[in-house]
Amino acid sequence: DTESIFYQHFDDYDDFIALAFELAREADPDARLFLNEIFPSIQIAKFEGLLTLVTRLLARGVPIDGVGFQGHFVVSLPDYETLRERLQAFADLGLDVELTEVDVSIALVDDAPDPFIAQGRVYADIVSACLDVSRCTGVTTWNAHDGLTWLDRDALFSVTAPHQPTLFNADLTPKPAYYSVVEAFRSRL
């Protein structure tokens, strides 16, 4: 938005982002600084734009330690190979990468014979893509259980509720997705 205070006071959008990282590094030299973005795993334009931005910032010497891919899989499912390649592209820049805010809407797999098993396979692919990139340092889910999901309350997504996007039912019973994630990790031991 060209009306924002940032555009009014900075000649270049990169300058604002660079300043934020520089000030953060100054405030805490030991903090790991990540640029976190939604949808680079499923939207090519987001991925390419983020890769270009981060490459420019690194060339300027901006202190970025990693990139987070927000994993709100609510409009499209991730593809294992595409996800792995995109994570690897940032690792190839010398950065750590993480999958953050991961949730997988059951609505995206509700045509499967068992949607919860299908959701579990998606979660296993997400974790496996991270495990197959040496600099992928974490996978973080968004919320502890289905009863707390933001998707069922968000005006844009509530029309397709319930989403049941987490690893646990509202009563904290593990779902097939939980066991798929555990197995993805165990398979690498």
Side-chain angles (χ1 to χ4, degrees), residues 98-102 123 126-127 130-131 136-141 185:
E98 294 189 359
L99 290 157
T100 65
E101 304 178 37
V102 174
Y123 267 101
I126 291 166
V127 170
C130 177
L131 291 171
C136 191
T137 57
V139 177
T140 307
T141 59
F185 280 110

Side-chain angles (χ1 to χ4, degrees), residues 14 42 55 96 112 120 124 126 133 143 147 174 187:
D14 290 11
I42 58 174
T55 301
D96 289 337
I126 291 166
V133 174
N143 248 319
S187 71

Side-chain angles (χ1 to χ4, degrees), residues 92-114:
D92 290 346
L93 295 176
L95 299 172
D96 289 337
V97 289
E98 294 189 359
L99 290 157
T100 65
E101 304 178 37
V102 174
D103 47 11
V104 179
S105 175
I106 200 78
L108 296 176
V109 292
D110 65 359
D111 61 341
D114 185 333

